Amino acid sequence: RTAIARHDGRDVLQVESGFGFRRDVTFQDGTFDFDVQLTDRRSFVYLYFRAESDTEREEIYLRPHKSNLPDAVQYAPVWQGRSAWQLYHGPGGTAAAGFEPGAWTHVRLVTQERSAAVFVGDMTAPVMVVPRMAREPRAGYIALGGFLPRAVPGEGPIARFANVVVSPGHVPY
C-alpha cells in the first residue's frame, strides 16, 4: 500500500509496498531532492527517473538493511520491465551509505546526459557517481516507492518520503 499521509508534522508519501508516480513531471537532466525515513527491515526503496513507460526507465535504490555496506545504494537500468541490477556492482553501480532507522535522511540525484551523482545525507560529496548510465538520456516521468521481499517480519511503512523537489536543468555537481 502507498498513500499520502501526515507524519512528523509533514505531508508524506507513505509506502508499505508500491509506488507513487508523477507522470505529469518531466525529468531528464537536473536535480531530484527528497527526504526519506527508512526502517531497518529488509526492503528496497526506489527512485525511478527518466521513465518512458512503467517498463523502460533508470532507477536508483536504497537497501536500508545493508546500511554502511558496499551495496547499500545501487543504480540499475530497466528494459522491458527487467532490471539489469546484476550487471552494476562496484564503482559506478553500487556504493556504501549509512541509514539510521526512523531518522530523516536527505537524498539527492543529479543527472547530466549519461552521468549521475547520488548524495545521501552529506550534500558536498556524492556516495556514488555513475559515469555512464546504460540507457540513452531521454526525458521521462518519476516515481518513488519500494517493496518488501516475501516473509519479511514487521508491520507498517518501509519508507516515508517528504520535501520532494525536482529541478530540471539544475546541475550543481
Side-chain angles (χ1 to χ4, degrees):
R1 295 183 323 169
T2 303
I4 302 297
R6 190 91 178 140
H7 181 76
D8 284 349
R10 309 172 185 213
D11 291 325
V12 300
L13 174 67
Q14 187 166 281
V15 177
E16 288 185 34
S17 191
F19 289 83
F21 291 88
R22 286 300 308 260
R23 297 179 200 281
D24 61 327
V25 174
T26 302
F27 181 81
Q28 178 175 327
D29 291 334
T31 305
F32 192 150
D33 284 283
F34 59 91
D35 294 332
V36 64
Q37 186 182 58
L38 303 166
T39 70
D40 59 358
R41 292 165 60 202
R42 185 168 188 260
S43 60
F44 299 84
V45 177
Y46 285 81
L47 160 61
Y48 290 174
F49 61 102
R50 293 182 176 174
E52 297 175 53
S53 71
D54 290 356
T55 62
E56 305 290 326
R57 65 180 178 271
E58 305 272 13
E59 60 189 25
I60 300 290
Y61 56 98
L62 314 175
R63 293 182 180 108
H65 60 286
K66 291 195 163 207
S67 182
N68 294 311
L69 294 177
D71 58 350
V73 177
Q74 184 156 7
Y75 158 76
V78 176
W79 286 281
Q80 298 177 1
R82 304 281 186 216
S83 174
W85 66 270
Q86 303 94 329
L87 304 176
Y88 293 86
H89 288 278
T94 57
F99 305 111
E100 183 182 336
W104 286 101
T105 302
H106 192 73
V107 176
R108 172 177 286 163
L109 169 69
V110 179
T111 62
Q112 184 171 29
E113 297 180 17
R114 290 202 98 139
S115 65
V118 179
F119 298 78
V120 176
D122 176 6
M123 294 297 108
T124 59
V127 296
M128 180 172 66
V129 173
V130 182
R132 184 166 172 77
M133 290 187 286
R135 294 181 57 87
E136 198 63 40
R138 291 192 181 99
Y141 58 88
I142 61 171
L144 293 168
F147 72 92
L148 289 164
R150 291 186 181 176
V152 173
E155 292 182 13
I158 59 168
R160 291 183 178 97
F161 298 93
N163 301 324
V164 178
V165 177
V166 179
S167 305
H170 179 65
V171 182
Y173 177 80

